[in-house]
Amino acid sequence: MNWITNYVRPRINSLFSRREVPENLWTKCPSCGTMLFHRELADNLNVCTNCDHHLAITPRERFTALFDGGVFREVKVPEPVADPLQFRDQKKYPDRMRAAQKSTGEKEAMLVAEGEIGRTPIIAAGQDFSFMAGSMGMYVGNAIIAAAERAVQTGRPLVLFSAAGGARMQEGILSLMQMPRTTVAVQMLKEANLPYVVVLTHPTTGGVTASYAMLGDVQIAEPNALICFAGPRVIEQTIREKLPEGFQRAEYLLEHGMLDRVTHRKAMKDELVSILRMMTGQPAPTRADLPAPATEPALPEPSPEETAEKAG
Ligand SMILES: [Zn+2]
């Protein structure tokens, strides 16, 4: 032992170890196996640049890409009672929550925001599969109600991006009660004559498919998204038969009349802008990011009598 082994070598080692690349700089595409550089992947909205496979994307990343200039404002969601059943499996429910909050940096499995897409004001709600599999608990129920109420209050359409493993079992029957609650919230939009558009992303399953995710005026899905109540494995084991190719995937469901559209993530914004402008009786966009009604040739202001007539 001398000063070289005790002092110099550790210093040299520490200098070199600092240069090691973090492992999460590269993501392997689960479909084609290509190694994708994280920045390139993020620029491409988490779609594989080689095979077009749609990898998961968080609501925050999605909203940043979706809203004009990446600007949106979060809509406040009322906090439900924490851990009402004092549920415990291998871990306590509050411990699971804390772990999910730490790993995602989000409070819960749904983000509600307001902003403009293609100069069209909307409310958007996005479910976060990375947060406890996007499971629908009381918070998600509250989030959808908050989104619907805000939409009615502001007269804006609601766009919902679903992604969930189903109901949150840690909340038992209380999570199942979110199915009728969210259905009533969707009904509020219909009564206010406001469009409700659902974008189903991979995977949307269980009680979420059985409630708000299937009640849209327009049902869009991302390519190859699994959309089902019970998953293919469960069905296969129950009926003991091989299921057809692509069963319960977006394209299969489109072919069988369960969906209106299957749209690539990168074309989603333009598509939503067109649909929403059409549904709200606004002129069609010429280019999705610049179709401001204000920049179009100004129509003569309606006379006060006309305005009164419309209001009446
Ligand atoms: Zn790929």
Side-chain angles (χ1 to χ4, degrees):
M1 288 261 214
N2 57 29
W3 69 275
I4 293 182
T5 50
N6 283 342
Y7 181 72
V8 177
R9 198 181 284 163
R11 280 299 291 268
I12 290 173
N13 283 346
S14 78
L15 277 178
F16 279 99
S17 64
R18 247 179 256 160
R19 283 194 204 159
E20 269 173 29
V21 251
E23 279 168 34
N24 58 6
L25 236 43
W26 294 86
T27 306
K28 192 175 177 180
C29 170
S31 175
C32 71
T34 306
M35 293 304 281
L36 303 158
F37 189 57
H38 72 115
R39 206 167 300 153
E40 204 182 340
L41 190 59
D43 287 346
N44 209 37
L45 299 179
N46 285 10
V47 176
C48 175
T49 47
N50 183 48
C51 73
D52 256 0
H53 178 75
H54 285 48
L55 286 86
I57 187 167
T58 65
R60 206 168 284 279
E61 289 169 318
R62 188 189 289 279
F63 288 176
T64 305
L66 180 74
F67 284 108
D68 296 348
V71 180
F72 61 91
R73 205 171 59 169
E74 276 183 52
V75 173
K76 209 172 162 349
V77 176
E79 291 274 346
V81 184
D83 194 16
L85 306 179
Q86 293 176 359
F87 190 89
R88 181 185 190 139
D89 45 88
Q90 291 103 332
K91 270 192 200 170
K92 284 183 188 161
Y93 180 32
D95 293 343
R96 268 191 202 284
M97 278 293 278
R98 265 192 294 275
Q101 283 166 342
K102 202 176 162 205
S103 72
T104 59
E106 295 292 346
K107 203 188 320 169
E108 252 280 7
M110 188 166 267
L111 185 68
V112 184
E114 57 185 338
E116 291 188 345
I117 62 168
R119 299 294 297 274
T120 311
I122 66 155
I123 308 292
Q127 210 155 1
D128 193 347
F129 195 78
S130 61
F131 194 106
M132 293 183 76
S135 50
M136 171 185 63
M138 289 184 288
Y139 186 93
V140 168
N142 283 359
I144 291 164
I145 291 165
E149 280 176 345
R150 189 75 188 138
V152 172
Q153 206 178 30
T154 54
R156 296 178 177 201
L158 173 61
V159 180
L160 181 128
F161 298 87
S162 69
R168 186 168 294 173
M169 63 159 195
Q170 288 87 347
E171 292 182 15
I173 189 83
L174 296 163
S175 75
L176 295 180
M177 280 162 63
Q178 305 317 309
M179 292 165 66
R181 279 186 88 211
T182 53
T183 304
V184 171
V186 171
Q187 193 56 33
M188 268 166 45
L189 292 168
K190 309 222 161 166
E191 276 162 19
N193 222 1
L194 292 167
Y196 172 51
V197 176
V198 180
V199 179
L200 300 135
T201 76
H202 179 76
T204 297
T205 65
V208 172
T209 314
S211 58
Y212 61 87
M214 279 293 172
L215 297 173
D217 299 312
V218 181
Q219 294 282 133
I220 309 173
E222 286 191 339
N224 202 35
L226 177 72
I227 300 153
C228 59
F229 181 67
R233 227 178 329 153
V234 176
I235 297 177
E236 231 163 32
Q237 281 163 9
T238 312
I239 64 170
R240 291 168 202 281
E241 259 182 68
K242 189 103 189 72
L243 295 168
E245 178 77 16
F247 185 65
Q248 293 177 322
R249 295 284 171 166
E251 293 73 10
Y252 183 95
L253 295 173
L254 178 70
E255 224 169 89
H256 290 80
M258 288 284 283
L259 298 173
D260 297 306
R261 301 279 284 170
V262 175
T263 305
H264 195 285
R265 192 176 287 161
K266 291 179 86 176
M268 194 64 82
K269 178 172 175 169
D270 287 0
E271 177 127 331
L272 286 171
V273 172
S274 300
I275 290 172
L276 293 173
R277 289 179 79 90
M278 193 165 69
M279 290 176 88
T280 51
Q282 292 180 66
T286 42
R287 251 183 61 198
D289 54 346
L290 285 173
T295 61
E296 277 160 18
L299 294 167
E301 287 284 314
S303 63
E305 298 90 78
E306 269 178 345
T307 319
E309 255 172 54
K310 268 186 202 162

